[in-house]
Amino acid sequence: MRRKIVAGNWKMNTTKVDGVELAKQVAEASAEVPAEVGLVVAPPFTHLCAVGKALAGSKVELSAQNCADHTSGAYTGEVSVDMIKAVGCGWTILGHSERREYYGETDEKLVEKTKLALAAGLGVILCVGEKLEQREAGKHFDVCAEQVKNVLYHFSAEDMKNIVIAYEPVWAIGTGKTATSEQAQEIHAFIRNVVAEKFGAEVAEDMSILYGGSCKPSNAKELFAQKDIDGGLIGGAALKASDFIEIAKSF
Ligand code: PEP
């Protein structure tokens, strides 16, 4: 069944002390969030372990923001899926536009990373989304279809049960500009169709597709009311526990 999920991407923010404090506040307030809404937080690698401990006993799940495209060995600075799993993560975010843009993350790499993550028993939150100039040129459908196909068409219907898509228009990330609920719904429905073309209607119906891009308490309700929007991947607003929880209560 399709899950409602609100996931917080903390990016390169918070020290370990701040992160643990934020996690404690989120864990405590998570009791106010309806049972059917899943909560996930993705802190920096350095405090996954400590944040995991702070979340213990709550419904909040732990995620990494990225993983290596190799299992182990001479890959200085990288963190493997087994390491991530071993500190208590249930998820990893992959393909965030910041990684695509600043760290040369390609769809080919994302196929490898997704394979490793799934094999390690991690769920994957795969980010897709167009840049401003692509939207202005009317290419947003093509861009999103290509990103979804290039990665997810390498997987099976069974694998898709452990994958969530996050549609994040790059022009809306951290800019304060949010896609309108109509714009977001239109492309979420389109992405669901792209999934259906390969895997069939049932898999597509069960797939959670999250919206990301300046989602905040004031706009979450309208976005989450859309038929094909199953929650959010939240950046800036995830750094304040009360805002993050307010968003999760917006269904
Ligand atoms: C993100 O980077 O995943 C994101 C959605 O950021 P923000 O909410 O700050 O736009």
Side-chain angles (χ1 to χ4, degrees), residues 7-11 93 96-98 127 166-177 211-216 232-239 247:
N9 174 14
W10 295 2
K11 310 193 188 188
I93 297 171
H96 191 280
S97 60
E98 287 151 15
C127 305
Y167 166 65
E168 300 205 299
V170 180
W171 48 272
I173 295 178
T175 59
K177 282 187 204 161
Y211 169 80
S214 299
C215 184
K216 39 189 184 269
L233 180 55
I234 318 298
L239 296 172
I247 290 171

Side-chain angles (χ1 to χ4, degrees), residues 7-249:
N9 174 14
W10 295 2
K11 310 193 188 188
M12 197 172 72
N13 292 300
T14 72
T15 60
K16 183 173 143 187
V17 171
D18 302 334
V20 166
E21 182 51 36
L22 176 58
K24 280 186 186 159
Q25 291 172 9
V26 170
E28 201 177 306
S30 65
E32 299 164 22
V33 174
E36 74 273 16
V37 180
L39 286 176
V40 178
V41 294
F45 284 131
T46 49
H47 23 305
L48 280 174
C49 214
V51 165
K53 282 187 190 138
L55 298 175
S58 79
K59 65 181 268 176
V60 188
E61 299 168 63
L62 190 64
S63 176
Q65 298 175 15
N66 181 33
C67 69
D69 55 345
H70 295 278
T71 48
S72 66
Y75 300 101
T76 303
E78 291 294 309
V79 179
S80 78
V81 288
D82 287 344
M83 296 171 188
I84 291 166
K85 180 78 181 167
V87 291
C89 284
W91 296 90
T92 184
I93 297 171
L94 288 177
H96 191 280
S97 60
E98 287 151 15
R99 294 219 54 88
R100 291 180 190 259
E101 180 75 11
Y102 309 141
Y103 301 98
E105 192 95 294
T106 60
D107 287 335
E108 292 71 32
K109 278 229 154 106
L110 290 170
V111 172
E112 289 317 305
K113 291 184 177 194
T114 303
K115 276 185 192 162
L116 293 173
L118 295 178
L122 293 169
V124 169
I125 301 173
L126 177 74
C127 305
V128 301
E130 80 284 355
K131 295 180 186 170
L132 183 60
E133 60 270 26
Q134 293 167 327
R135 177 159 281 261
E136 284 174 347
K139 292 190 175 144
H140 45 296
F141 292 109
D142 290 346
V143 170
C144 291
E146 201 172 303
Q147 289 175 339
V148 169
K149 288 181 184 179
N150 284 349
V151 180
L152 296 186
Y153 278 22
H154 292 267
F155 294 89
S156 67
E158 193 55 30
D159 292 331
M160 294 295 276
K161 291 182 183 160
N162 296 310
I163 298 173
V164 165
I165 297 174
Y167 166 65
E168 300 205 299
V170 180
W171 48 272
I173 295 178
T175 59
K177 282 187 204 161
T178 318
T180 63
S181 50
E182 292 79 18
Q183 282 173 324
Q185 164 57 28
E186 181 184 40
I187 200 135
H188 277 234
F190 171 79
I191 289 170
R192 200 177 298 288
N193 245 338
V194 175
V195 172
E197 272 171 34
K198 166 85 174 166
F199 300 101
E202 206 179 315
V203 171
E205 269 309 304
D206 283 350
M207 179 108 217
S208 298
I209 307 180
L210 314 183
Y211 169 80
S214 299
C215 184
K216 39 189 184 269
S218 58
N219 57 27
K221 214 180 191 80
E222 199 185 329
L223 287 161
F224 296 175
Q226 305 303 311
K227 181 172 158 288
D228 289 289
I229 301 182
D230 308 309
L233 180 55
I234 318 298
L239 296 172
K240 194 172 163 202
S242 56
D243 282 356
F244 183 62
I245 294 297
E246 201 56 40
I247 290 171
K249 286 160 73 181

